[in-house]
DNA sequence: TGTACATCAGTGAACGCGCGTTCACTGATGTAC
DNA sequence: TGTACATCAGTGAACGCGCGTTCACTGATGTAC
């Protein structure tokens, strides 16, 4: 077979991006412990050996995938909410929806991996922390000026927490009880709107 | 070596309980995909082969472990809150605390596995659903009679969602930012108390 | 601009290991007489 | 109550497979002259 070695700088960057994209998607779909490096490399059109030319370990790839996933996710959220209803209620509607629950592979890394990151390395925890701050900051900015800085910060963080729990639970119960899945999302959206309007 | 076969009915029940206990603890500590059946059997003082005399598959063991974990977890919550402050605020204080975050191995199965159950089988989803209903019911009962049945149900579910998200996130960011970990719990506790007192 | 050559991204075989599951076998327990 | 024997929980070797990681090798790219 004709094997192509030593690739152009352009192709190198492309391959790296493909690895991160594939990892990001597969980790969200199957869990961090649920995908192997070989499957990720294959999905990126490479062999597993090549992965180690880009990342020193699977943990480093997890961190890179998390960072990329959050970057895309936060940007998409800001853009969508800005176009639709750039208020706190707009964020609540965006975050607490069945569309959000169904977006697993290209959804938010936080809802997909929340109960797994606590068991990963330091680098992963650091990227997860940045992701949380990024999401909370976006929500905070949309909270009315009536609230104090402290109140806004608290509401921003608590909104993300409620969102993550609701979507993760909604995914967990969906197979057994689709109605309950909707109910959890609706109940959490209701609670947040009640608080948002003081 | 002197190998003991065919065990008494008493020992049989003991072994089954030991398997479920070990599985329940290890799944919470290391994740469902993070522990193998051999490790669980070893922790229960058995070999992996014996596990299949009790459960047809790992998935069935996961379901049994989830059921047992929720049973114990809900009972402990009810007892503790009843002794301390049997109000909605009492539940919020119990659920949103750093003690809850630190109780991983013997804590709540929901916070430990929320982002993993969506990828398991039907039986697991069913047990997870029952666990959610059990926790929400306990919280609902403590909500003041001023609220309508619908409002109480909604607040019960949303409280569990917020709790699960906050504790899972608090665990995820703890390594990288312990202060933020506390902040998320505190912010969520604050939000829920604000809503609870209307 | 043309030539010689060092670099290094990617390949694919191999490392030791653990995974979930199966199964022939064992022998104390529990039962039938 | 005593004896004969069927049951079946538990053992441990084995199944095929995938895991994360390493490494000798390849050869087009990019660079130095």
């Amino acid at each position: 077979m004709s094997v192509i070695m030593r690739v152009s700088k352009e192709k190198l960057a492309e391959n790296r991006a493909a690895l991160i994209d594939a990892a990001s998607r597969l980790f969200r779909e199957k869990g961090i412990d649920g995908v192997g490096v070989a499957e990720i490399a294959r999905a990126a059109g490479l062999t597993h050996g090549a992965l180690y030319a880009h990342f020193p370990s699977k943990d480093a790839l997890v961190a890179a995938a998390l960072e990329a996933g959050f970057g895309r996710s936060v940007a998409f959220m800001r853009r969508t909410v800005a176009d639709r209803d750039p208020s706190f209620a707009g964020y609540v509607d965006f975050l607490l929806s069945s569309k959000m629950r169904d977006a697993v592979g290209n959804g938010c890394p936080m809802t997909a991996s929340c109960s797994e990151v606590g068991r990963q390395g330091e680098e992963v925890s650091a990227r997860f922390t940045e992701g949380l701050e990024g999401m909370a900051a976006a929500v905070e900015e949309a909270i009315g000026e009536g609230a104090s800085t402290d109140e806004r910060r608290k509401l921003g963080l608590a909104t993300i927490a409620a969102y993550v729990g609701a979507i993760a639970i909604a995914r967990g119960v969906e197979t057994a009880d689709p109605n309950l899945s909707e109910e959890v999302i609706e109940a959490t959206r209701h609670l947040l709107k009640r608080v948002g309007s003081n």
Side-chain angles (χ1 to χ4, degrees), chain A:
Chain A
M1 80 207 73
S2 129
V3 173
I4 291 166
M5 313 280 173
R6 183 72 150 117
V7 112
S8 72
K9 275 185 176 176
E10 214 171 271
K11 190 67 194 162
L12 172 66
E14 254 178 53
N15 287 344
R16 189 189 164 88
L19 282 168
I20 293 174
D21 277 9
S24 189
R25 180 174 55 80
L26 288 167
F27 287 148
R28 281 176 281 191
E29 278 174 9
K30 305 184 167 195
I32 296 168
D33 289 341
V35 216
V37 291
E39 187 178 352
I40 293 165
R42 212 179 307 124
L46 295 167
T47 57
H48 57 276
L51 196 149
Y52 288 88
H54 292 274
F55 305 98
S57 66
K58 187 188 178 181
D59 202 72
L61 175 61
V62 174
L66 216 51
E67 186 175 24
F70 271 122
R72 210 163 296 190
S73 194
V74 172
F76 177 71
M77 175 176 73
R78 281 184 174 279
R79 209 181 325 123
T80 306
V81 174
D83 284 359
R84 225 191 260 167
D85 171 10
S87 68
F88 177 73
Y91 272 99
V92 172
D93 284 332
F94 175 81
L95 294 170
L96 280 304
S97 68
S98 27
K99 198 178 240 179
M100 185 59 86
R101 177 198 58 204
D102 300 339
V104 179
N106 64 338
C108 168
M110 201 151 16
T111 49
S113 309
C114 61
S115 67
E116 283 185 281
V117 288
R119 297 184 280 262
Q120 307 293 320
E122 285 183 36
E123 191 70 14
V124 171
S125 181
R127 296 294 86 74
F128 188 73
T129 298
E130 287 168 12
L132 171 63
E133 292 283 16
M135 295 197 70
V139 173
E140 265 178 75
E141 287 168 24
I143 298 171
E145 297 287 340
S148 70
T149 309
D150 180 62
E151 280 294 330
R152 289 168 62 187
R153 166 75 170 167
K154 275 193 165 69
L155 182 54
L157 285 175
T159 299
I160 301 302
Y163 147 70
V164 168
I167 296 298
I169 291 173
R171 285 177 185 156
V173 304
E174 200 183 7
T175 310
D177 194 339
N179 290 333
L180 179 59
S181 180
E182 293 288 343
E183 209 185 347
V184 170
I185 293 172
E186 162 60 17
T188 308
R189 186 172 57 223
H190 184 261
L191 175 114
L192 290 173
K193 288 210 168 175
R194 188 135 70 97
V195 177
S197 61
N198 270 57

